[in-house]
PDB file of all heavy atoms in Angstrom:
ATOM      1  N   GLY A 297     -18.066   4.484   7.793  1.00  0.00           N
ATOM      2  CA  GLY A 297     -18.235   5.827   7.255  1.00  0.00           C
ATOM      3  C   GLY A 297     -17.060   6.740   7.534  1.00  0.00           C
ATOM      4  O   GLY A 297     -16.972   7.836   6.970  1.00  0.00           O
ATOM      5  N   ARG A 301      -5.833   7.148   6.974  1.00  0.00           N
ATOM      6  CA  ARG A 301      -4.779   7.313   5.980  1.00  0.00           C
ATOM      7  C   ARG A 301      -3.593   6.441   6.365  1.00  0.00           C
ATOM      8  O   ARG A 301      -3.027   6.615   7.445  1.00  0.00           O
ATOM      9  CB  ARG A 301      -4.330   8.765   5.893  1.00  0.00           C
ATOM     10  CG  ARG A 301      -3.356   9.036   4.738  1.00  0.00           C
ATOM     11  CD  ARG A 301      -2.771  10.413   4.857  1.00  0.00           C
ATOM     12  NE  ARG A 301      -2.070  10.825   3.644  1.00  0.00           N
ATOM     13  CZ  ARG A 301      -0.994  11.616   3.655  1.00  0.00           C
ATOM     14  NH1 ARG A 301      -0.516  12.069   4.797  1.00  0.00           N
ATOM     15  NH2 ARG A 301      -0.418  11.957   2.503  1.00  0.00           N
ATOM     16  N   ALA A 305       6.700   3.795   4.361  1.00  0.00           N
ATOM     17  CA  ALA A 305       7.969   4.400   3.977  1.00  0.00           C
ATOM     18  C   ALA A 305       9.053   3.335   3.866  1.00  0.00           C
ATOM     19  O   ALA A 305       9.160   2.449   4.720  1.00  0.00           O
ATOM     20  CB  ALA A 305       8.375   5.442   5.001  1.00  0.00           C
ATOM     21  N   THR A 309      16.469   4.816  -0.173  1.00  0.00           N
ATOM     22  CA  THR A 309      16.028   5.265  -1.490  1.00  0.00           C
ATOM     23  C   THR A 309      16.428   4.219  -2.516  1.00  0.00           C
ATOM     24  O   THR A 309      17.450   3.550  -2.382  1.00  0.00           O
ATOM     25  CB  THR A 309      16.657   6.614  -1.853  1.00  0.00           C
ATOM     26  OG1 THR A 309      18.087   6.475  -1.812  1.00  0.00           O
ATOM     27  CG2 THR A 309      16.228   7.690  -0.882  1.00  0.00           C
ATOM     28  N   VAL A 315       6.572  -0.131  -9.218  1.00  0.00           N
ATOM     29  CA  VAL A 315       5.201   0.005  -8.738  1.00  0.00           C
ATOM     30  C   VAL A 315       5.196  -0.063  -7.205  1.00  0.00           C
ATOM     31  O   VAL A 315       6.001  -0.768  -6.607  1.00  0.00           O
ATOM     32  CB  VAL A 315       4.291  -1.086  -9.334  1.00  0.00           C
ATOM     33  CG1 VAL A 315       4.788  -2.473  -8.969  1.00  0.00           C
ATOM     34  CG2 VAL A 315       2.847  -0.914  -8.902  1.00  0.00           C
ATOM     35  N   GLY A 324      -9.425 -15.344   7.317  1.00  0.00           N
ATOM     36  CA  GLY A 324      -9.984 -16.444   6.565  1.00  0.00           C
ATOM     37  C   GLY A 324     -10.019 -16.240   5.062  1.00  0.00           C
ATOM     38  O   GLY A 324     -10.576 -17.069   4.341  1.00  0.00           O
ATOM     39  N   LEU A 329      -5.105  -7.518  -3.840  1.00  0.00           N
ATOM     40  CA  LEU A 329      -4.615  -6.201  -4.197  1.00  0.00           C
ATOM     41  C   LEU A 329      -5.715  -5.170  -3.974  1.00  0.00           C
ATOM     42  O   LEU A 329      -6.835  -5.347  -4.434  1.00  0.00           O
ATOM     43  CB  LEU A 329      -4.173  -6.175  -5.657  1.00  0.00           C
ATOM     44  CG  LEU A 329      -3.738  -4.820  -6.206  1.00  0.00           C
ATOM     45  CD1 LEU A 329      -2.449  -4.356  -5.540  1.00  0.00           C
ATOM     46  CD2 LEU A 329      -3.563  -4.888  -7.724  1.00  0.00           C
ATOM     47  N   TYR A 341      -7.253   0.205  -9.056  1.00  0.00           N
ATOM     48  CA  TYR A 341      -7.963  -0.065  -7.818  1.00  0.00           C
ATOM     49  C   TYR A 341      -8.808  -1.332  -7.933  1.00  0.00           C
ATOM     50  O   TYR A 341      -9.348  -1.644  -8.997  1.00  0.00           O
ATOM     51  CB  TYR A 341      -8.895   1.101  -7.466  1.00  0.00           C
ATOM     52  CG  TYR A 341      -8.186   2.387  -7.153  1.00  0.00           C
ATOM     53  CD1 TYR A 341      -7.936   3.331  -8.148  1.00  0.00           C
ATOM     54  CD2 TYR A 341      -7.759   2.667  -5.855  1.00  0.00           C
ATOM     55  CE1 TYR A 341      -7.275   4.511  -7.870  1.00  0.00           C
ATOM     56  CE2 TYR A 341      -7.105   3.847  -5.567  1.00  0.00           C
ATOM     57  CZ  TYR A 341      -6.865   4.764  -6.573  1.00  0.00           C
ATOM     58  OH  TYR A 341      -6.212   5.940  -6.287  1.00  0.00           O
ATOM     59  N   ALA A 342      -8.960  -2.016  -6.820  1.00  0.00           N
ATOM     60  CA  ALA A 342      -9.931  -3.101  -6.758  1.00  0.00           C
ATOM     61  C   ALA A 342     -11.323  -2.495  -6.884  1.00  0.00           C
ATOM     62  O   ALA A 342     -11.574  -1.379  -6.402  1.00  0.00           O
ATOM     63  CB  ALA A 342      -9.795  -3.846  -5.435  1.00  0.00           C
ATOM     64  N   SER A 352      -1.482   7.253  -3.427  1.00  0.00           N
ATOM     65  CA  SER A 352      -0.564   8.283  -3.905  1.00  0.00           C
ATOM     66  C   SER A 352       0.838   7.945  -3.432  1.00  0.00           C
ATOM     67  O   SER A 352       1.027   7.090  -2.575  1.00  0.00           O
ATOM     68  CB  SER A 352      -0.986   9.669  -3.403  1.00  0.00           C
ATOM     69  OG  SER A 352      -0.968   9.709  -1.987  1.00  0.00           O
ATOM     70  N   ASP A 354       5.002   9.626  -2.786  1.00  0.00           N
ATOM     71  CA  ASP A 354       5.957  10.720  -2.732  1.00  0.00           C
ATOM     72  C   ASP A 354       7.309  10.110  -3.079  1.00  0.00           C
ATOM     73  O   ASP A 354       7.940   9.449  -2.246  1.00  0.00           O
ATOM     74  CB  ASP A 354       5.975  11.346  -1.339  1.00  0.00           C
ATOM     75  CG  ASP A 354       6.885  12.561  -1.249  1.00  0.00           C
ATOM     76  OD1 ASP A 354       7.881  12.625  -2.007  1.00  0.00           O
ATOM     77  OD2 ASP A 354       6.612  13.438  -0.420  1.00  0.00           O
ATOM     78  N   ASN A 358      10.198   8.146  -0.898  1.00  0.00           N
ATOM     79  CA  ASN A 358       9.987   6.701  -1.059  1.00  0.00           C
ATOM     80  C   ASN A 358       8.824   6.228  -0.198  1.00  0.00           C
ATOM     81  O   ASN A 358       8.911   5.209   0.494  1.00  0.00           O
ATOM     82  CB  ASN A 358      11.259   5.920  -0.690  1.00  0.00           C
ATOM     83  CG  ASN A 358      12.267   5.923  -1.819  1.00  0.00           C
ATOM     84  OD1 ASN A 358      11.919   6.046  -2.982  1.00  0.00           O
ATOM     85  ND2 ASN A 358      13.526   5.806  -1.462  1.00  0.00           N
ATOM     86  N   LYS A 368     -16.063   0.716   5.297  1.00  0.00           N
ATOM     87  CA  LYS A 368     -17.119  -0.248   5.569  1.00  0.00           C
ATOM     88  C   LYS A 368     -16.562  -1.378   6.436  1.00  0.00           C
ATOM     89  O   LYS A 368     -15.353  -1.647   6.402  1.00  0.00           O
ATOM     90  CB  LYS A 368     -17.642  -0.828   4.255  1.00  0.00           C
ATOM     91  CG  LYS A 368     -18.130   0.195   3.257  1.00  0.00           C
ATOM     92  CD  LYS A 368     -18.517  -0.479   1.941  1.00  0.00           C
ATOM     93  CE  LYS A 368     -19.000   0.531   0.913  1.00  0.00           C
ATOM     94  NZ  LYS A 368     -19.387  -0.118  -0.367  1.00  0.00           N
ATOM     95  N   TRP A 384      20.192   0.550  -5.756  1.00  0.00           N
ATOM     96  CA  TRP A 384      21.401   1.068  -6.382  1.00  0.00           C
ATOM     97  C   TRP A 384      22.433  -0.054  -6.553  1.00  0.00           C
ATOM     98  O   TRP A 384      22.567  -0.916  -5.690  1.00  0.00           O
ATOM     99  CB  TRP A 384      22.000   2.198  -5.543  1.00  0.00           C
ATOM    100  CG  TRP A 384      21.111   3.388  -5.464  1.00  0.00           C
ATOM    101  CD1 TRP A 384      20.164   3.643  -4.521  1.00  0.00           C
ATOM    102  CD2 TRP A 384      21.035   4.471  -6.406  1.00  0.00           C
ATOM    103  NE1 TRP A 384      19.519   4.816  -4.794  1.00  0.00           N
ATOM    104  CE2 TRP A 384      20.033   5.350  -5.942  1.00  0.00           C
ATOM    105  CE3 TRP A 384      21.723   4.771  -7.582  1.00  0.00           C
ATOM    106  CZ2 TRP A 384      19.706   6.516  -6.627  1.00  0.00           C
ATOM    107  CZ3 TRP A 384      21.394   5.933  -8.257  1.00  0.00           C
ATOM    108  CH2 TRP A 384      20.400   6.785  -7.779  1.00  0.00           C
ATOM    109  N   ASP A 391      10.610  -7.599  -5.212  1.00  0.00           N
ATOM    110  CA  ASP A 391       9.432  -7.246  -4.429  1.00  0.00           C
ATOM    111  C   ASP A 391       9.800  -7.135  -2.948  1.00  0.00           C
ATOM    112  O   ASP A 391      10.416  -8.038  -2.380  1.00  0.00           O
ATOM    113  CB  ASP A 391       8.340  -8.300  -4.585  1.00  0.00           C
ATOM    114  CG  ASP A 391       7.528  -8.098  -5.844  1.00  0.00           C
ATOM    115  OD1 ASP A 391       7.355  -6.944  -6.281  1.00  0.00           O
ATOM    116  OD2 ASP A 391       7.046  -9.100  -6.396  1.00  0.00           O
ATOM    117  N   VAL A 399      -6.459  -2.637  10.139  1.00  0.00           N
ATOM    118  CA  VAL A 399      -7.576  -1.697  10.025  1.00  0.00           C
ATOM    119  C   VAL A 399      -8.841  -2.429  10.439  1.00  0.00           C
ATOM    120  O   VAL A 399      -9.173  -3.472   9.876  1.00  0.00           O
ATOM    121  CB  VAL A 399      -7.713  -1.167   8.582  1.00  0.00           C
ATOM    122  CG1 VAL A 399      -8.988  -0.352   8.434  1.00  0.00           C
ATOM    123  CG2 VAL A 399      -6.493  -0.342   8.201  1.00  0.00           C
ATOM    124  N   VAL A 401     -12.923  -1.802  11.061  1.00  0.00           N
ATOM    125  CA  VAL A 401     -14.056  -0.907  10.849  1.00  0.00           C
ATOM    126  C   VAL A 401     -15.265  -1.494  11.566  1.00  0.00           C
ATOM    127  O   VAL A 401     -15.722  -2.591  11.231  1.00  0.00           O
ATOM    128  CB  VAL A 401     -14.356  -0.712   9.357  1.00  0.00           C
ATOM    129  CG1 VAL A 401     -15.476   0.315   9.171  1.00  0.00           C
ATOM    130  CG2 VAL A 401     -13.101  -0.280   8.609  1.00  0.00           C
TER     131      VAL A 401
END
Side-chain angles (χ1 to χ4, degrees):
R301 188 190 192 213
T309 58
V315 59
L329 175 67
Y341 295 92
S352 61
D354 184 331
N358 280 333
K368 304 175 180 180
W384 295 91
D391 278 329
V399 172
V401 184

